[in-house]
Amino acid sequence: MNFSTANLVFDPEIIRRFDVNGPRYTSYPTADRFVEAFNAEAARLWLSKRNIGGISRPLSLYFHIPFCSTICYYCACNKIITKDHGRSAKYLKYLAREVALQSSYLDGEHEAIQLHWGGGTPTFLSHDEMRQLMAVTRQHFNLVEGGEFSIEVDPRKVDDATVALLGELGFNRMSVGVQDFDERVQLAINRIQSEAETAAVIRAARQNGFKSISIDLIYGLPRQSVAGFEQSLERVLEMDPDRLSIYNYAHLPSLFKPQRRILEADMPSADTRLQILALAIKKLTDAGYVFIGMDHFAKPDDELAVAQSQGRLHRNFQGYSTHADCDMLSFGISSISKVGPTYSQNVKTLDEYYDRLDAQILPVFRGIELNADDILRRSIIQALMCHFELSIESIESAHLINFKTCFAAELEDLRSLQTAGLVKLDDEWITVLPPGRMLVRAISMIFDRYLRADQQRTRYSKVI
Ligand code: SF4
């Protein structure tokens, strides 16, 4: 299936040719480049000098709730499967300690314009625990009126009363996991979720004043077919979400144990995956959604689409965002913070997390302080991923470099993509052309210094 929309051309032949293993660039450098030499003390220092020069960037807060009561076989998240709700009570106690500790070191304003609860399953928490976590947050941070406060919701775990409570706590954005409504696929991934319970959550969210509702789908799952996915898409479109994400399932059973319960024989062929993706893009763009980048779609009046059209779109650990200049403080196991020119990541297990906090130490186990080259390349990758174009002049004046000299090898590598019609190069701009938009990760990888030095790309999933 070949087709084009206003800003996108889908050409399976081109995709097959240039599809390579690569990262998703929710950060640059990517987390696997973080080092243990950047430790809790380094993170503490950066929190305490956040306000250097008198500029205090607004804050974005992320809370990782790792618990889930059942396992989805495709899952690659850092989660803990348990039916014991007592475990979240202890976790919340320590989460509160971490909030207090980070906040005590934090220089500058404590104003947060964004907040996100992710997981795992944030709605694993009881109503009291949700109230408690929000109260602790508000004790240490000022959640700014009109900010973006979002939560990931598993419709199988949420009733109307919970959605009403979330609204009361201040949440105004919701992301709803669906993946696929096809019952055969749901059985193969161990995630049985009816259309009715999903629709009920979305209805309740609208009644409780949620401003933007996003639905997450995955393509490439076992037993998926083009016809089955088309029906799922139709059912999803009837729910009229403001945004949609269509993620590519990365089948890496050697890295992620739950995926070993997926039968290889059930996996769709590479051709079927491409056909499903092509169908999804066509159906969503025909339905009026704007292709934001990589795997996101939004209604034209959704703030994500508006931010992209105004050149304000940014990329962070939650994907695309409208707030570019935030410092991100993250809490909970495995979560990643971004403060000034640094990233730091928390320990990944509960025991380590509790031990560090018992000792009143930030639970950071690795991170990185970006050098000038990292910052330069991060701006380039951000521009390509978010805006599909790069102004050479603005990069030169912001970073005081000569682009052609600094990136001679990269420009040379871009030539084959130019010949294939994926990018346009001239003296002033690098532009990702419509056929290259689906391959923007592969194009961005050319500017990744770490990947250039390390051609071993097998650890990443295919970009499509
Ligand atoms: S996909 Fe989400 S709900 Fe399922 S196991 Fe993973 S984190 Fe939990």
Side-chain angles (χ1 to χ4, degrees):
M1 182 191 288
N2 276 59
F3 66 85
S4 63
T5 67
N7 56 11
L8 186 65
V9 173
F10 190 89
D11 183 338
E13 191 42 50
I14 292 267
I15 286 175
R16 259 183 227 110
R17 223 173 106 204
F18 289 96
D19 187 10
V20 288
N21 297 313
R24 302 175 58 80
Y25 292 117
T26 49
S27 71
Y28 178 83
T30 47
D32 54 350
R33 309 296 175 181
F34 296 178
V35 292
E36 290 187 13
F38 189 100
N39 55 17
E41 181 53 18
R44 189 193 67 74
L45 269 175
W46 274 101
L47 284 173
S48 66
K49 59 182 182 185
R50 193 173 88 89
N51 200 22
I52 277 182
I55 302 164
S56 190
R57 280 173 297 276
L59 295 171
S60 176
L61 309 177
Y62 173 75
F63 292 85
H64 187 73
I65 314 295
F67 306 102
C68 300
S69 47
T70 55
I71 181 128
C72 312
Y73 294 158
Y74 59 83
C75 182
C77 301
N78 185 23
K79 77 276 169 193
I80 293 159
I81 307 298
T82 178
K83 298 222 186 284
D84 174 8
H85 283 257
R87 294 186 75 181
S88 54
K90 181 172 181 186
Y91 185 71
L92 273 207
K93 200 173 99 191
Y94 281 86
L95 214 43
R97 279 194 200 176
E98 193 192 358
V99 172
L101 198 59
Q102 285 206 43
S103 159
S104 72
Y105 295 140
L106 186 71
D107 187 28
E109 301 293 330
H110 286 210
E111 307 260 302
I113 55 172
Q114 268 186 328
L115 170 140
H116 185 81
W117 289 6
T121 308
T123 44
F124 182 94
L125 301 180
S126 69
H127 286 195
D128 273 353
E129 287 170 341
M130 290 178 186
R131 283 197 189 92
Q132 209 180 306
L133 180 53
M134 201 51 115
V136 166
T137 307
R138 289 186 189 275
Q139 198 184 323
H140 295 277
F141 297 97
N142 174 22
L143 301 188
V144 173
E145 187 76 25
E148 280 177 28
F149 307 127
S150 59
I151 181 166
E152 291 165 18
V153 164
D154 180 343
R156 298 171 300 167
K157 308 283 178 280
V158 166
D159 56 16
D160 286 5
T162 306
V163 178
L165 172 67
L166 294 174
E168 196 186 299
L169 292 177
F171 286 101
N172 50 27
R173 312 278 193 288
M174 181 184 283
S175 134
V176 181
V178 169
Q179 326 317 348
D180 195 328
F181 278 134
D182 185 331
E183 290 77 8
R184 293 177 62 249
V185 177
Q186 291 193 352
L187 266 176
I189 60 174
N190 197 41
R191 186 183 169 111
I192 309 297
Q193 177 179 328
S194 75
E195 193 178 339
E197 59 196 348
T198 307
V201 165
I202 291 176
R203 205 178 314 118
R206 295 219 160 96
Q207 282 162 359
N208 284 282
F210 279 73
K211 223 180 129 193
S212 180
I213 294 162
S214 176
I215 288 187
D216 295 343
L217 300 171
I218 300 182
Y219 74 94
L221 288 173
R223 299 193 193 157
Q224 257 176 356
S225 65
V226 179
F229 203 74
E230 179 161 26
Q231 279 186 13
S232 289
L233 279 169
E234 276 158 14
R235 291 152 91 179
V236 163
L237 284 172
E238 273 171 28
M239 295 175 192
D240 197 27
D242 303 282
R243 300 177 189 176
L244 281 131
S245 305
I246 306 209
Y247 297 111
N248 169 18
Y249 168 54
H251 190 57
L252 300 167
S254 57
L255 286 183
F256 306 111
K257 228 170 154 188
Q259 296 184 357
R260 293 178 201 161
R261 295 162 86 168
I262 289 178
L263 300 178
E264 293 290 336
D266 283 342
M267 292 300 292
S269 68
D271 264 356
T272 306
R273 288 168 72 105
L274 268 185
Q275 282 177 40
I276 291 174
L277 177 62
L279 169 92
I281 295 167
K282 175 145 177 52
K283 263 193 124 53
L284 295 183
T285 46
D286 283 355
Y289 288 87
V290 178
F291 177 65
I292 298 295
M294 226 170 76
D295 38 28
H296 281 58
F297 296 81
K299 286 186 176 173
D301 57 351
D302 186 89
E303 56 201 348
L304 220 50
V306 174
Q308 189 185 49
S309 69
Q310 296 175 346
R312 292 186 290 106
L313 198 65
H314 193 68
R315 200 157 163 76
N316 66 21
F317 296 107
Q318 275 85 58
Y320 288 100
S321 157
T322 53
H323 292 285
D325 54 349
C326 291
D327 279 333
M328 179 179 283
L329 304 187
S330 297
F331 307 93
I333 56 170
S334 72
S335 63
I336 300 178
S337 295
K338 169 182 169 284
V339 175
T342 71
Y343 293 112
S344 57
Q345 183 171 26
N346 276 355
V347 291
K348 295 187 176 178
T349 67
L350 290 177
D351 284 346
E352 290 169 291
Y353 185 66
Y354 298 157
D355 284 351
R356 298 284 185 107
L357 287 164
D358 277 337
Q360 284 292 307
I361 298 170
L362 288 176
V364 167
F365 87 105
R366 64 176 181 175
I368 193 165
E369 183 177 332
L370 278 69
N371 61 27
D373 180 72
D374 293 330
I375 292 171
L376 164 63
R377 287 172 188 267
R378 179 168 70 179
S379 322
I380 293 171
I381 290 173
Q382 282 272 347
L384 293 171
M385 298 286 293
C386 296
H387 310 301
F388 300 118
E389 64 182 11
L390 178 78
S391 158
I392 290 176
E393 192 196 334
S394 48
I395 287 286
E396 286 183 328
S397 51
H399 297 270
L400 304 176
I401 55 146
N402 178 307
F403 195 90
K404 281 187 189 149
T405 314
C406 276
F407 294 108
E410 286 80 355
L411 287 168
E412 196 47 47
D413 289 352
L414 280 174
R415 301 265 175 236
S416 62
L417 301 180
Q418 184 184 29
T419 310
L422 301 182
V423 292
K424 181 167 162 254
L425 306 176
D426 60 39
D427 286 343
E428 289 166 9
W429 293 90
I430 296 175
T431 311
V432 180
L433 297 171
R437 289 191 165 207
M438 294 306 300
L439 292 158
V440 66
R441 269 161 88 176
I443 296 166
S444 300
M445 282 161 65
I446 288 179
F447 290 94
D448 183 330
R449 179 172 62 86
Y450 298 86
L451 276 184
R452 296 184 74 79
D454 165 17
Q455 292 302 316
Q456 251 191 331
R457 293 170 184 173
T458 46
R459 78 190 76 185
Y460 297 113
S461 60
K462 288 271 187 180
V463 297
I464 301 293

